[in-house]
Amino acid sequence: MMTGIGRLILIWAALLVLLAATVAASAVLHGAASLTASLLIAAIKAGLIFWFFMHLGEEAGLVRVMALGAIAWLGILFALSGADYATRGWW
């Protein structure tokens, strides 16, 4: 298994490839497909950053559960904000 600087360079290269995929998706796709692709790519990039650069892969199980709980809570907040915005009568 690769350790040290080689692993960091590999993750950095993967993030650059995902950045290029984001730019390509924004240029090629339009509408809901563009939004979906951008959010999916952003989630993958965030996962790589959490797992490798924030060392979540090296932590114990409880820390991983807390990180998943924080992500779930953020998702709930976004869902409730989106529901509030969608149900307003001013549009």
Side-chain angles (χ1 to χ4, degrees):
M1 181 171 188
M2 188 180 301
T3 60
I5 195 78
R7 184 178 78 168
L8 293 178
I9 291 173
L10 184 65
I11 299 303
W12 175 72
L15 288 171
L16 284 179
V17 168
L18 288 170
L19 173 65
T22 302
V23 172
S26 69
V28 174
L29 301 175
H30 300 290
S34 176
L35 177 66
T36 304
S38 296
L39 288 176
L40 180 66
I41 293 169
I44 293 170
K45 289 191 284 189
L48 284 173
I49 290 169
F50 287 154
W51 194 258
F52 292 104
F53 291 120
M54 296 178 71
H55 303 284
L56 194 59
E58 300 168 4
E59 293 295 331
L62 186 59
V63 175
R64 292 180 189 177
V65 169
M66 291 298 134
L68 286 175
I71 292 169
W73 183 247
L74 186 62
I76 290 169
L77 290 175
F78 281 147
L80 289 175
S81 296
D84 178 48
Y85 182 76
T87 58
R88 292 189 181 238
W90 42 267
W91 48 275

